[in-house]
Amino acid sequence: MLLMMFVLSNIVSAQENKSVIDIDYYSPKEYEVGEIKITGAENLDENSVILLSGISVGQKVMVPSDKFSTAIDKLWKQGIFDEIHINITKVEGRTIFLEYNLKTKPRLSYFTFKGITRSEADKLKERMHIALGDVVTENMKSNCSNIINDYFIDKGFYLTKTEVLEERDSLSKRKECHLTFVVDKGKKIKIGKITVEGNEFLTDSKVKRQMKDTKEKKWWRFWKSSRYQESDFKKDKDLVIEKYNNEGYRDARITWDTVFIAKSNKDKDEMNINMKIYEGHKFYFRNITWVGNTKYTSDELTKLLRINKGDAYNKELLDKNVSYDPTGKDISSLYLDDGYLFFRVIPTELNIENDSIDIEMRIFEGTQARIGNVSIAGNTRTNDYVVMRELKTLPGELFSRDNVIRSVRELQQLGFFNPEKIEPKIEPNVENGTVDIKYMLEEANSSRIELQGGWGGYSRVVFTAGLALDNFAASKVFQRKAWQPFPMGEGQKVSLRINTNGDYYHSASLSFTEPWLGGKKPTALSVGVYYSYQDESYYNTSDLRNFYLSILGASATIGKRLKWPDDYFTLAQGLRYKRYHVKNWTSFVMPTGTSNDMAYTLTLARNSVDQLIYPRTGSEVVLESAFTFPYSLVNGKDYNSMSIEDQYKWLEYYKINFRTAWYFNVVDELVFSARSRFGFLGRYSDKTSYSPFERYYVGGDGITGYALDGRELVSLRGYEFAALTGDNGATVFDKFTMDLRYPITLNPAASIYVLAFVEGGNSWSTLKSFAPFNMYRSAGVGVRIFMQMFGLIGLDWGYGFDPAYGETSRSGGHFHISLQNSID
């Protein structure tokens, strides 16, 4: 109830001096306010109320006047009062005494929801922004009701109704109430039908395909919601017009559209959309001329523009070929990569005649700009020189946009920073023809704990744990303050891993990498040691531990970046030594003995992948090889007459591994990946047998580290561990994988993406039996979660379409857990 009263007594009694005053409404007189008393506002600050009213003690006011109604209006606008009275309680000469008699609105004691789930209520509480003790007003209740309705409308409940019930708390000493939000969501309404009119060039289905988020309800489209959102519909209409423009229909527009709820054939409410399109005429490029170009001829620029006379008019293609084409060369990159930072080109429609458009390319070349200052910001942990040595933009050199892009890519490849937050700020200085470049960075956690589990051989669980420090600082090891918790910032890598499946198998490895040996050139030094032990005693009746195979090894590798054929190439060379010790291993080709494996390793690789966690573009091609000394070719021994122990005392083989990976950004954040692997274990002479070590075993999740007899595990989802290879392993294998992946979130703290894959592969005992397209096939889905402390964790479900090696029935479905791309 709204009650605003201004009470002016014609005769006000003053009990202390018994005086009486008459107030003449027709002859206002000026009085001084002697006192203002506040009643009925127990929970409010009295001085604040007086200040808000605009009347203060000592102020002179006319009585009667609109000063008092204005004061009431000011207090009422605060929205916290139900009633406001201003009374004159006493008059002494030219002094009046006032009383503000107020009745405040109730305050919120608590609020509840009816008709919705607890999780929905929790999300609404975050959006409503109301708290206990807030003043309950009609405006508050209306806002909350609108927030609730909008929330469920956004979820597809377009008929949502919310009723707000207010109940006063009679037991509370304070004036309080509680609210109950009664929500009737109704049924979820999806988009039933989209009707398109006026379209001739594009069919209805093509028009609908252009709309990214506004989709008709289909039973098979499980990955995409069919709810209507006005903001999404507006964007989708723009996409439809953009498609028309790209096909030459530059005047296309949507003349009208309407959205309404109607009954479907099954008597269900559904959202229907009608839209009418005006296509207009199709236009074509005619004459394209160049003005202002002196560096390059018009013919050179026209050839690079890749638009010919008679092509359908496509402004998007024109802008891409002029400004930035990520798949090839464009006009701007031609200039910007040669220092012309101040270059501009303005395509201008010079003449439109019938269905043809003449374009004049107006060029301002400017002068070449040289790089001034290059700086970085945001590297709170990584040393400046670690970042600066990766940059391709050097002070004094001509500015190159390609070098800026490449610098960003190199910083992403480090893995020390959030790849989504690396931003180069270009600050040109036209006066002196220079440009300053500042790279904005955001540190990511480059230390992680590795945890990995999977189902391994002999029906045992294989467990891997480790610590990886990708930005270690070896020079700070003896500085106590640097251990927070580890000395970091110099770009070195340290990895410690432990693998076990209980009593049967365990191993440990330690490695260290210095990426810039000496600090002046990108020459990497990597060293590592490892040990693994397998105990066959677990499967023997004897309690003695006399049935085992152990491997002790060490390696050292030197790698460097190449400048030819391009600087994406790297070359690494190294030596590795392994000592195999076998005792009473009756199932192995050499039951007892010691084998030494000394090999020269050579790796040639090219990697242009844009980033580590969620690559969108680029490729990786790696050729790995290992060569032992060809003892049989020089020692003149008859291997047929030698014992098994003597034959394998020094292992003899060569090994070639080849793998590729390509990444293509299909649309938006959707990425297509195609990968392949091939491996071959060979021998130098027919006098020797193939090495019993270093063989390939295909199938399962390819958990690294579970290296029985030095074997190399190759994953193939949808099948059990090593299920696609015989007991003695293989000397040849291939594998092909394709997948589509899409990110759920790329937050550096926890990046998540989902994928669907198909893959196939096989293994063979000899190269002669190699049949590359005779493959075990599988398909499935998976999810990848990258957490800074744990690295990349994967969970996949794969279905094997073929019987495994030696089996007669299909492999069926299998779950696989991986870490650090062990499945890839």
Side-chain angles (χ1 to χ4, degrees), residues 413-679:
Q413 286 292 309
L414 287 175
F416 305 159
F417 309 105
N418 177 5
E420 306 297 327
K421 297 293 185 179
I422 299 176
E423 178 187 2
K425 288 192 173 182
I426 311 298
E427 301 172 356
N429 190 332
V430 181
E431 295 179 357
N432 58 17
T434 62
V435 56
D436 296 335
I437 305 175
K438 187 174 186 178
Y439 293 90
M440 307 302 295
L441 310 172
E442 181 182 287
E443 291 272 7
N445 193 342
S446 50
S447 303
R448 63 184 183 274
I449 298 172
E450 299 183 13
L451 298 174
Q452 175 177 312
W455 198 252
Y458 299 98
S459 300
R460 305 293 303 274
V461 173
V462 183
F463 176 75
T464 300
L467 176 66
L469 309 176
D470 289 342
N471 193 8
F472 190 67
S475 66
K476 300 178 182 178
V477 169
F478 300 105
Q479 298 178 19
R480 180 182 300 178
K481 294 182 179 180
W483 289 82
Q484 297 181 358
F486 302 100
M488 306 294 287
E490 294 181 356
Q492 296 140 357
K493 296 184 179 181
V494 175
S495 177
L496 173 65
R497 295 170 62 86
I498 298 173
N499 306 271
T500 183
N501 75 342
D503 295 335
Y504 178 68
Y505 170 82
H506 53 267
S507 71
S509 64
L510 175 66
S511 65
F512 171 82
T513 299
E514 168 55 72
W516 283 67
L517 186 62
K520 295 183 178 180
K521 293 183 178 181
T523 300
L525 171 66
S526 298
V527 294
V529 294
Y530 46 91
Y531 175 77
S532 64
Y533 179 89
Q534 298 167 232
D535 193 343
E536 187 75 358
S537 300
Y538 182 86
Y539 297 99
N540 284 271
T541 56
S542 173
D543 293 332
L544 299 176
R545 303 178 69 84
N546 286 328
F547 309 88
Y548 63 84
L549 185 154
S550 65
I551 307 173
L552 176 64
S555 64
T557 304
I558 291 286
K560 65 177 183 178
R561 300 178 189 175
L562 304 179
K563 296 183 178 179
W564 185 89
D566 60 38
D567 57 0
Y568 288 110
F569 278 86
T570 58
L571 179 67
Q573 304 178 73
L575 289 175
R576 74 181 187 198
Y577 172 76
K578 296 180 183 179
R579 180 179 180 273
Y580 298 92
H581 186 60
V582 186
K583 187 173 182 180
N584 296 331
W585 199 280
T586 56
S587 60
F588 193 56
V589 64
M590 183 179 68
T592 299
T594 300
S595 292
N596 298 279
D597 179 356
M598 175 72 77
Y600 164 74
T601 60
L602 179 67
T603 301
L604 179 64
R606 186 184 188 276
N607 185 351
S608 62
V609 175
D610 60 340
Q611 57 174 277
L612 297 174
I613 305 304
Y614 189 75
R616 297 174 176 85
T617 61
S619 63
E620 181 181 22
V621 180
V622 181
L623 177 63
E624 298 174 317
S625 58
F627 304 91
T628 65
F629 188 76
Y631 303 103
S632 64
L633 298 181
V634 297
N635 60 18
K637 295 182 178 180
D638 181 8
Y639 279 77
N640 292 326
S641 62
M642 295 173 62
S643 65
I644 293 295
E645 292 80 1
D646 290 336
Q647 285 186 36
Y648 296 128
K649 184 174 183 180
W650 286 95
L651 295 180
E652 179 180 322
Y653 65 87
Y654 63 90
K655 190 174 186 179
I656 308 294
N657 284 339
F658 181 71
R659 70 175 186 270
T660 64
W662 282 271
Y663 300 93
F664 305 91
N665 200 162
V666 180
V667 61
D668 191 27
E669 296 290 342
L670 182 67
V671 173
F672 171 75
S673 171
R675 303 184 298 280
S676 66
R677 290 182 63 185
F678 169 81

Side-chain angles (χ1 to χ4, degrees), residues 358-383:
D358 294 334
I359 304 292
E360 183 176 83
M361 310 295 288
R362 299 173 181 176
I363 291 179
F364 172 76
E365 294 180 337
T367 58
Q368 289 178 301
R370 292 194 175 272
I371 299 175
N373 296 321
V374 178
S375 59
I376 55 178
N379 55 315
T380 56
R381 185 185 306 113
T382 306
N383 293 341

